[in-house]
């Protein structure tokens, strides 16, 4: 990211269990990450939170960020003005320019893979098979 001779490094914080997932589209870089935090000292259980953010591909300047109380479990996919991300099995769409939530599709089963978009249709592999939603 940056111009010749100049670069800016984006250094998001993330837990040891999950690296950030990145998609570049139309001069912007979209990033999702899951952060592990907290721990139950007796059971050793942790919890997750996550974020979705957009930065300028040219300058590295953060354009927007949405912090979540659930982990982000997919890379960001861009379809038109939507940035689509899976949070704990639910599909969420964010406005690519502002980061404001546009719509949500609650999980009907466990999402098992990153969503895929083709010809205006969002496909997701779940424990119940393939789910398809026309965007």
């Amino acid at each position: 990211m940056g111009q010749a001779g100049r670069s800016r490094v984006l250094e998001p914080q993330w837990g040891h269990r999950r690296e950030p997932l990145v998609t570049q589209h139309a001069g912007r870089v979209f990033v999702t990450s899951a952060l592990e935090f907290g721990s139950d000292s007796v059971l050793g259980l942790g919890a997750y939170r996550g974020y979705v953010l957009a930065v300028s591909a040219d300058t590295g300047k953060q354009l927007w960020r949405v912090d979540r109380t659930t982990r982000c479990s997919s890379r960001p996919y861009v379809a038109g003005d939507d940035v689509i991300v899976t949070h704990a099995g639910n599909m969420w769409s964010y406005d690519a320019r502002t980061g404001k939530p546009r719509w949500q599709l609650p999980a009907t089963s466990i999402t098992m893979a990153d969503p895929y978009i083709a010809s205006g249709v969002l496909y997701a592999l779940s424990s119940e098979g393939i789910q398809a939603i026309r965007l």
Side-chain angles (χ1 to χ4, degrees):
M1 288 182 268
Q3 300 169 355
R6 292 181 28 196
S7 65
R8 179 176 168 141
V9 178
L10 174 67
E11 296 184 29
Q13 307 256 331
W14 61 87
H16 67 279
R17 294 180 182 229
R18 181 88 170 155
E19 71 281 358
L21 299 171
V22 179
T23 298
Q24 185 171 348
H25 180 77
R28 294 178 181 200
V29 177
F30 300 97
V31 181
T32 61
S33 186
L35 302 165
E36 184 176 16
F37 70 97
S39 180
D40 182 308
S41 60
V42 176
L43 300 175
L45 299 174
Y48 286 95
R49 62 180 183 214
Y51 63 81
V52 182
L53 67 85
V55 297
S56 166
D58 292 329
T59 66
K61 178 184 175 194
Q62 182 173 308
L63 303 172
W64 53 263
R65 177 179 172 136
V66 177
D67 291 306
R68 301 286 309 179
T69 57
T70 58
R71 70 186 187 105
C72 301
S73 52
S74 75
R75 76 180 55 258
Y77 285 87
V78 181
D81 293 331
D82 294 305
V83 177
I84 300 167
V85 177
T86 303
H87 296 291
N90 299 314
M91 298 283 180
W92 282 76
S93 169
Y94 298 94
D95 185 292
R97 292 179 306 273
T98 66
K100 292 183 180 177
R102 296 181 71 157
W103 50 262
Q104 175 195 5
L105 296 172
T108 58
S109 61
I110 298 169
T111 302
M112 301 174 69
D114 285 354
Y116 180 77
I117 300 168
S119 301
V121 178
L122 173 71
Y123 297 93
L125 178 63
S126 71
S127 59
E128 295 181 5
I130 296 175
Q131 297 177 330
I133 301 123
R134 181 160 303 281
L135 298 174

